[in-house]
Amino acid sequence: MLLVGIQGTGKSLSAKTIAHEWRLPLLRLDSGRLFGGIVGESESRVRQMIQLTEAMAPCVLWIDEIDKAFGNITSSIDGDSGTSRRVFGSLITWMQEKTASVFIVATANNVKILPAELLRKGRFDEIFFLNLPTEAERQEIFKVHLQRLRPNRLREFNLALLAKQSLNFSGAEIEQVIVDAMHQAFSTRVEGQRRDFNTEDILQAVAQTVPLAAIAHEQIEALKQWAAQAGARTASNDVLLVEELKQYSTEQGIGPLEVD
């Protein structure tokens, strides 16, 4: 499967969760490190990766940020004497023909630059789009992090208010505002004593944070349009998020994307 979406929405965490739930070894492939500076080294690394992965089977192979390695590979500019194309060809051929029990999970932020032949059925059977969390999901994310950090004080935090005020925040941004609130409270002394953070500290950190959804609004909208056009499945079972993705197809008259 290919996991695409906005940064900080849990693509890497999802890959780790799959291996954990299936109780299988997780191998992380940094696709950028496949390429070496010596002639033939890159192709050799691909063969080594395949041999190691199949030797570990059954396992989950997580290809991290695959768009950074193979984005725009079909462009006419080729500054590495065709090495990247040969590496890419070896990889997709193995993905198509492998018989070992290797489940591949790839993550991508800028999926639009990936070559179409990588996206067709047989290489990636499913594409999942990870959207920004809804208010209910944000509340659960706050609960997870606060339960980990302050399990004895969880009831003291107003999770519903925090979720409401953190509109368009990703999971990673929610985690960071909690960390910021901890630092802010720790630096504040009350009667000479350092105090612990509370709901107000987190709300203040939220107010001081500009989420990526606001900074990169156009890029995110374009990604949602691509997901609708490509027929990507939404990773959330929330009805509102499912309908949002369908609405992009309906409003713009977008049909299924031919990627073969």
Side-chain angles (χ1 to χ4, degrees), residues 31 46 66 108 120 130-132 173:
S31 49
V46 174
I66 194 172
R120 74 172 177 83
L130 281 73
N131 207 339
L132 291 169
E173 289 167 336

Side-chain angles (χ1 to χ4, degrees), residues 178-199:
I178 294 175
V179 173
D180 291 345
M182 291 175 60
H183 291 165
Q184 183 176 349
F186 186 75
S187 63
T188 305
R189 291 181 178 270
V190 178
E191 297 180 354
Q193 300 286 332
R194 297 192 185 275
R195 67 177 182 86
D196 204 354
F197 71 104
N198 52 34
T199 299

Side-chain angles (χ1 to χ4, degrees), residues 182-227:
M182 291 175 60
H183 291 165
Q184 183 176 349
F186 186 75
S187 63
T188 305
R189 291 181 178 270
V190 178
E191 297 180 354
Q193 300 286 332
R194 297 192 185 275
R195 67 177 182 86
D196 204 354
F197 71 104
N198 52 34
T199 299
E200 287 69 28
D201 294 313
I202 301 177
L203 289 174
Q204 185 174 350
V206 168
Q208 295 173 347
T209 302
V210 179
L212 181 64
I215 300 174
H217 176 73
E218 293 183 0
Q219 294 93 318
I220 292 174
E221 289 300 307
L223 182 59
K224 290 180 180 179
Q225 292 174 12
W226 182 92

